[in-house]
Amino acid sequence: MSAYGYEIVQTLIVDIEPDEHVKRAMNEINAAARMRLAATEKAEAEKILQIKRAEGEAESKYLAGVGIARQRQAIVDGLRDSVLAFSENVPGTSSKDVMDMVLVTQYFDTMKDIGASSKSSAVFIPHGPGAVKDIASQIRDGQLQGRMV
């Protein structure tokens, strides 16, 4: 424009209209970048969910273990108190006699639970006065062997 006596100092461009192929290519580049970002964010969210799920499961198992330990301790305390009280109140009984009675009681409770469960199919357990004594000795021997190992 200087040939005509004009000098252009600054130009304000308001509307650029590139070729359709250029527009499409730019849109595909932007879409690919957004898809890559979305995939990264989705993968990160899945990772967090899996970590939280694993942490929750670990905490649940830990608390279940603590609960079982407390339950067993309460059972032991209760058995000890029962054996002491029974031995004091019934002359001539030993702690072995009381434990045999407790084992027989637990045996009958187990039989009742097995019979009441709708999910149990068939369980063959020897039953009778002699069998109860055998089961008590088997339980006692199993516990003694477990302590030795």
Side-chain angles (χ1 to χ4, degrees):
M1 296 299 289
S2 58
Y4 300 108
Y6 293 102
E7 180 182 343
I8 300 174
V9 178
Q10 192 176 33
T11 305
L12 179 63
I13 300 174
V14 179
D15 190 20
I16 298 176
E17 192 64 39
D19 184 48
E20 192 61 37
H21 296 296
V22 174
K23 279 185 181 179
R24 197 169 331 149
M26 289 173 67
N27 286 337
E28 287 176 8
I29 290 170
N30 287 335
R34 285 192 298 275
M35 293 294 283
R36 197 169 39 250
L37 180 64
T40 302
E41 292 295 326
K42 184 176 180 181
E44 191 66 28
E46 279 294 320
K47 175 182 156 187
I48 291 170
L49 282 174
Q50 287 180 351
I51 289 170
K52 292 298 180 185
R53 195 175 299 125
E55 287 174 352
E57 190 172 321
E59 183 70 16
S60 172
K61 287 179 180 179
Y62 170 77
L63 291 174
V66 169
I68 289 171
R70 286 181 182 164
Q71 177 187 24
R72 288 181 180 161
Q73 185 60 48
I75 290 170
V76 168
D77 292 344
L79 286 174
R80 183 188 62 237
D81 294 344
S82 296
V83 167
L84 291 174
F86 196 89
S87 297
E88 289 173 2
N89 293 332
V90 179
T93 59
S94 68
S95 59
K96 182 192 174 305
D97 295 332
V98 176
M99 286 307 296
D100 285 344
M101 187 183 73
V102 168
L103 287 173
V104 169
T105 303
Q106 287 180 339
Y107 170 77
F108 285 122
D109 287 344
T110 302
M111 292 295 290
K112 182 179 79 173
D113 291 342
I114 290 171
S117 175
S118 63
K119 294 182 181 178
S120 64
S121 52
V123 177
F124 296 99
I125 298 176
H127 186 67
V132 173
K133 182 179 177 188
D134 291 341
I135 289 172
S137 66
Q138 289 173 12
I139 292 172
R140 193 177 325 97
D141 293 344
Q143 288 176 345
L144 290 174
Q145 288 174 0
R147 288 187 198 137
M148 294 174 134
V149 174

